[in-house]
Amino acid sequence: MSSNKFPGVAIVGMGCTRFGDHWDRSADDLVIDAVQEALASAGGIAIDDIDAFWLGTAVTGQSGLVLSRPLKLQNKPVTRVENMCATGSEAVRNACYAVASGAYDVVMAVGVEKLKDSNMTGLVIPTAPTDGSEVDLTAPAMFSFIVPAYAEKYGIPLETMREALSHIGSKNHANGALNERAHFQRQVSEATISAAPTIAGDLNVFDCSGISDGAAAAIICRIEDVPRYTTNPMYVRALALAVGAGTGATDTEYDYTTFPEVVASANDAYRQAGITDPATEISMAEVHDCFTPTELVLMEDMGFSERGGAIADVLAGRYDLDGDLPINPDGGLKSFGHPIGASGLRMLFEMWLQFRGEAGERQIEDPKLGMTHNLGGQPGEVVSFVSIVGAEPG
C-alpha cells in the first residue's frame, strides 16, 4: 500500500479541554470550550469564517447536528465520522484532504466524547455480525494475548516482560503528572504497577487506559494561507490509514506480536513524508497506549526498535521524556483516558504545543518531526492511523 506524496496543509489553531470526569459538563460544553480555544489561537477567526467541519465521535451522538447545535452553525457542511478508536484522527484526515483538494479554504476538525455517563465501560468491543459469531472477550483480554506470545517468540522471561510493561505505565503517568489537561495527574511507581491486581491474563489495572470525557479541535488550511491566521503553525506532512481484513483470529500465521496494519500505515506515512530512518528522524511520538503491551509492540511496528529489541530499549529509557525518542510526552491514554472521538486530536494538540515551545515541563528540545498514532479494534483486526507533523512544511 502506498499513498501519493501528501500535498501538505497546516494546522493554524488548536484547542483541547482537560480530559476527566466531567459529570457537571455536557458534550456541548466540551465542544464549545475546545472550539473557542482553537479559534482564539488562530488569530481570533470567527466561527462563520470556517468553511466546513468534520466531527469525530463514536458514541456521543449521530449526524452533524452534534456539532451544529452547540456552535449554532447556520447551513454549514458538517460531516460526522467514526472509525473505532481512530475516530478523532479520521476527522482530521478528512478535513485535511478537503482543504488539500481545494474544495474549501479553511476547515475545522473536532473530536468529542462523553463516556463517563454513557454506560460505556470500554471492556467489550462489538464486531459487525457478518459471520454469525459474537465477540465474548473483553478488550483487556484481547490485548493480554500479546504478553505471553511476545515472551515466547523472543525468549523473554515473564518477569522481564513485567518490568518493561511497568516501566511503560510509570513513564506515561510521570509525563501526565506534568500535564494540567490530563485526567490522571500523579506519578505511579513501577513497584506499584507491578503489584496491582491482574484483571486479564498478565495485564493488571495499571496496564489499561481509563474511560474519560474530553474534546479537542483543530483549524486547518493550505500552506499558502497560513499567514492569515498565525506565524507559528504546525505542518501536516503525512496522513496514512490502514484497515486490515480482520482475519487475525482465524489466521494460523498471526502470532499476536505485531499489528500488520500499523506497519502498513507507518510505512505509508514515512513514504509520504520522505522519512527513511524513523528511529532517528522522528523527534517524538504520541502512540495508542490503550494497554502497555500495545505500546511495546508499536515501538517495533513503527521501526523505532528492532524486532525483539523493544524490551531492552524500554528498560534503557530510550522512550522516556528525556530519552532519545520520547513516547507519549503528554502522558498518553494512560494519563488522559480514552474519550474515543477526542483522543486523536488530543495527540495532535501535544505536537502543537511542543512545536510552539508551549509544553512547559514536558518541552522537548528543538523537535523536528512528530508522529501521532491511533489504532482501533483488537490484535488481528485493526484500523490504524498515522500522521507525521512538523515545524517546517517539508
Side-chain angles (χ1 to χ4, degrees), residues 245-256 260 379-380:
T247 58
T250 56
D251 183 354
T252 57
E253 299 298 317
Y254 182 65
D255 67 0
Y256 287 85

Side-chain angles (χ1 to χ4, degrees), residues 272-321:
Q272 292 179 41
I275 293 172
T276 58
D277 184 5
T280 60
E281 293 179 68
I282 300 291
S283 305
M284 56 189 174
E286 288 285 330
V287 306
H288 199 87
D289 58 321
C290 50
F291 303 96
T292 53
T294 312
E295 181 171 320
L296 177 75
V297 169
L298 291 177
M299 298 302 95
E300 299 178 6
D301 285 347
M302 293 172 173
F304 297 159
S305 291
E306 298 292 330
R307 288 290 173 192
I311 288 278
D313 287 342
V314 165
L315 292 174
R318 171 170 164 72
Y319 303 121
D320 293 359
L321 188 59

